[in-house]
Amino acid sequence: MSIDRATEVELKYRLADAAVGERLLAGESLGPLHARGEIDQTLHDDRYFDTPGGALRAAGYAARIRQAPEGALLSLKSLAASESSLHRREELEAPAGPGLQPVDWPPSDARSLVLELCGDAALVETVRLSQTRRRRVFGDGSSTVEVSLDDVRVLREDAEVDRFLELEVELTSGAESELGRVAEVLDRMAGLAPSPASKLESARDAIAAATAEPQTPAVDLPRPGKSPGVTAEDSLAEAGRKVLRFHLARMIARDPGTRSGKDPEDLHAMRVATRRLRAAWRVFGDAFRPRRTRKLERPLRDVADRLGAVRDLDVLIDAGERYASGLARPGREAVRPLFDSWRVRREEARNALIAELDSERYRRFVHDFRVFVMDDEAAVARVAADDPHLVRDTAPARIWSGYHAVRAYDAVLKWADIDTLHALRIDAKRLRYSLEFFRETLGAEGEDLVARIVGLQDHLGLLHDADVAAGLTREFLL
């Protein structure tokens, strides 16, 4: 049977704070593209389905009936894997009836493919999502994208199992290169994390976590010492596991204090630990099999985003109060409503963080991460005997790669805008972490280099904090 398939090309990002997505939608431009029309809002009820034996999934498809104001829509999408924010999938769409029986759907290529793959087998609901979608179109003379901010609720027997925010940028016309230019802008934005998983995959993970049997008792980690203990003779996988084990222990140690909220430094230290864990995946990730480790990286990113949303506001509020303390009383009274609005936002971010830390998904993530870092053989990628795989052979190239990324900014610093400087800060931070991971093999010179990079980071961090404060202030005044 010959069936015409369209190709869906889109960018997907996970958000910890809806305000980030709202600012994008309300802006008049998105990279090279300009806003067209107003923001609209729709409600979607999505029912994913398959046979009890998973015939559609085995054939490489996700199937969905979407109930929207304009009627029911049948969609089949290929289950193409992605390692970044860019997703490219084959897609068929056609009108459908409200139920899951193909006999009730109008004839279409999509209906025919479901019948071909499933035969006479019954179709059952596997996942249900309820989404509130806020959407706006952006474009130029040759390309158009639809930007959607989706508030997604994962439901099981009408009870909410999980909830997350996702930003999608779908190319509707024009060259795919325009989508790449948009990605360059979004990848540098604070509060956005590329989402390689589809909504269906995220929902399946959440449901699996919610219905899982109780886990075995937590695997104990060694008490974190002064350093991970990496040596030049370690394999890259062994060194990576030492670094991950060290910073995971530090993250877990700060969990109780972060929950209590008595000392902001606990939250700060927990966030730093998650940052180093994420950086460790970038440095050591190719020493492990990605399909085995991806389930650890996604929830780590989400909890890091939650921690960051609170910590960034802590920094802004503290800086604002110090600034206000030097003002005369009329000035202090004038800025008080602004700082109060930040405190409200901070409390909302903290509530979201605590909900994340209390979730079954987070508990399962910590348990699985403990098991991974204590098992020296888990998920190690295969290497040939003559492949470079020891720290002494691989660390220099990884450090030089980070150095080259930072030095590349030399040519643009004279005109660099705030986004470029923020990107430099991120690359400098990655270079610093690479040096820190291997510091025990580098000698005293490594300590001097780390100190210099910290000075660069601190200066760029002040610029970034000022830009964020200005943006929140403008938002408050509008």
Side-chain angles (χ1 to χ4, degrees), residues 118-158:
C118 299
D120 295 332
L123 298 178
V124 295
E125 180 179 302
T126 57
V127 171
R128 184 180 169 201
L129 305 180
S130 177
Q131 302 188 65
T132 301
R133 166 166 288 185
R134 290 173 57 73
R135 185 188 71 99
R136 196 177 191 188
V137 175
F138 289 77
D140 57 17
S142 58
S143 300
T144 306
V145 301
E146 289 185 356
V147 181
S148 302
L149 176 62
D150 297 335
D151 182 356
V152 184
R153 297 169 61 230
V154 181
L155 303 177
R156 181 174 179 268
E157 297 178 354
D158 293 327

Side-chain angles (χ1 to χ4, degrees), residues 64-218:
R64 177 190 74 199
I65 297 287
R66 166 167 287 174
Q67 292 291 338
E70 59 271 20
L73 182 68
L74 167 65
S75 297
L76 273 77
K77 297 184 180 183
S78 61
L79 296 173
S82 175
E83 298 293 336
S84 67
S85 61
L86 181 65
H87 294 246
R88 184 182 291 103
R89 297 177 292 186
E90 291 184 345
E91 179 182 39
L92 291 108
E93 290 190 334
L100 298 182
Q101 301 306 317
V103 68
D104 297 327
W105 306 339
S108 67
D109 284 349
R111 175 179 180 271
S112 297
L113 183 56
V114 171
L115 291 171
E116 178 182 324
L117 296 174
C118 299
D120 295 332
L123 298 178
V124 295
E125 180 179 302
T126 57
V127 171
R128 184 180 169 201
L129 305 180
S130 177
Q131 302 188 65
T132 301
R133 166 166 288 185
R134 290 173 57 73
R135 185 188 71 99
R136 196 177 191 188
V137 175
F138 289 77
D140 57 17
S142 58
S143 300
T144 306
V145 301
E146 289 185 356
V147 181
S148 302
L149 176 62
D150 297 335
D151 182 356
V152 184
R153 297 169 61 230
V154 181
L155 303 177
R156 181 174 179 268
E157 297 178 354
D158 293 327
E160 183 176 306
V161 173
D162 193 17
R163 188 169 185 171
F164 57 88
L165 293 167
E166 189 162 284
L167 184 82
E168 295 184 350
V169 183
E170 182 178 355
L171 182 69
T172 55
S173 67
E176 190 174 320
S177 58
E178 289 296 317
L179 206 57
R181 294 172 65 188
V182 172
E184 290 176 1
V185 174
L186 297 180
D187 287 344
R188 295 197 299 266
M189 290 190 63
L192 293 179
S195 178
S198 68
K199 291 174 182 171
L200 175 59
E201 290 173 314
S202 298
R204 281 177 177 152
D205 288 345
I207 292 172
T211 57
E213 293 295 324
Q215 296 289 323
T216 55

